[in-house]
Amino acid sequence: MFTFAQFSDIHLGQDRGDGGARARERTERVLACLSGVLDGLDAVLLTGDIADHGREDEYTLAAKLFADHGVQPLICPGNHDARGAYRAVLLHGEAADASPVDEVHRLPGATFLMCDSSVPGKGHGRLDDATLDWLDRELAGTPDVPAFVCFHHPPVPLYGQYVDPIRQFGEERLAEVVGRHGTVAGLLCGHSHTPAVTTFAGVPLVAAPGVVSTLKMPWEGEEGGPVDYTLPPVIAFHVLDDEGRLTTHFRVVP
């Protein structure tokens, strides 16, 4: 059994008249919760929108908060992230490198492929051909280990009035890659700011809730706007059992 946590969309630096204090406080609550259960987890994921403006100081703060709480998540960028600053601060790479930030993590029991679905300067997502080629090669290189394909933008509609127009497009190309590899146990994303579970290319697709806010769905009405800033943050906990079944639990962080 392989157990791991996922959180998403912390948006450090988001200023709602508080200098970013609210986003930081909510992120610290989530990290404190995760810190208390790390002994029972095999991995922790953060699926994008780490920074709100893609600034180096926002990534510096993220690195500090991770270190302070002893939580080092596997990460991928979102549409609010900037590849240069993200790469320079969080990965100690070259800020001038504007290529997609794709990373593979081969852990005992599972492989995580953290893909960059961001399109610089845009809100929607798309996996570059180079990323898909990389993903295909990496999946072929671990034929006997369950793999999770992770990115920020969901590749299917989730029926939210705000996120669907800026979801991941060109998804048929991703489906072809996933379909070639029977070891893909699930796809994990963020961006939706609401927990959602569906399927894609015949495997589970789980969108983690947002830490900084919650997106209201159309049936919840228009009063107060589409985003709720009062609901508490939520963490997704995933269990991959010995039969290859993925089970997800959601926990509110008070």
Side-chain angles (χ1 to χ4, degrees), residues 14 16 18 20-27 212-213 229-230:
Q14 184 183 86
R16 294 185 56 79
D18 58 4
R22 180 183 177 281
R24 174 173 179 162
E25 186 273 334
R26 289 170 72 91
T27 300
V212 77
S213 63
Y229 292 96
T230 64

Side-chain angles (χ1 to χ4, degrees), residues 117 124-127 151 153-156 166-171 174:
S117 63
H124 71 277
R126 180 182 174 88
L127 296 177
F151 36 69
H153 299 78
V156 293
I166 53 171
R167 67 175 178 88
Q168 182 185 148
F169 295 101
E171 67 273 16
L174 172 63

Side-chain angles (χ1 to χ4, degrees), residues 28-180:
E28 292 209 73
R29 279 160 58 192
V30 167
L31 291 172
C33 177
L34 289 170
S35 180
V37 297
L38 277 180
D39 287 347
L41 299 175
D42 296 296
V44 177
L45 312 182
L46 171 52
T47 44
D49 280 357
I50 297 167
D52 196 54
H53 307 93
R55 299 193 309 253
E56 285 199 6
D57 63 293
E58 294 168 338
Y59 297 118
T60 299
L61 175 59
K64 178 182 185 305
L65 297 183
F66 299 158
D68 287 349
H69 291 276
V71 178
Q72 293 298 326
L74 312 182
I75 57 176
C76 61
N79 55 296
H80 280 255
D81 293 308
R83 289 174 179 173
Y86 174 109
R87 183 174 263 124
V89 177
L90 297 179
L91 304 181
H92 307 292
E94 292 294 331
D97 183 356
S99 63
V101 186
D102 302 317
E103 292 190 292
V104 59
H105 301 273
R106 303 187 190 281
L107 307 182
T111 295
F112 290 88
L113 297 125
M114 310 301 292
C115 305
D116 186 350
S117 63
S118 68
V119 178
K122 304 294 183 180
H124 71 277
R126 180 182 174 88
L127 296 177
D128 280 7
D129 289 343
T131 293
L132 288 169
D133 289 343
W134 167 83
L135 178 62
D136 203 12
R137 290 194 304 272
E138 294 294 343
L139 286 170
T142 52
D144 301 319
V145 180
F148 290 94
V149 179
C150 312
F151 36 69
H152 183 65
H153 299 78
V156 293
L158 298 180
Y159 307 105
Q161 69 271 42
Y162 183 72
V163 168
D164 282 354
I166 53 171
R167 67 175 178 88
Q168 182 185 148
F169 295 101
E171 67 273 16
E172 68 283 350
R173 299 150 53 250
L174 172 63
E176 289 178 6
V177 173
V178 171
R180 285 197 288 270

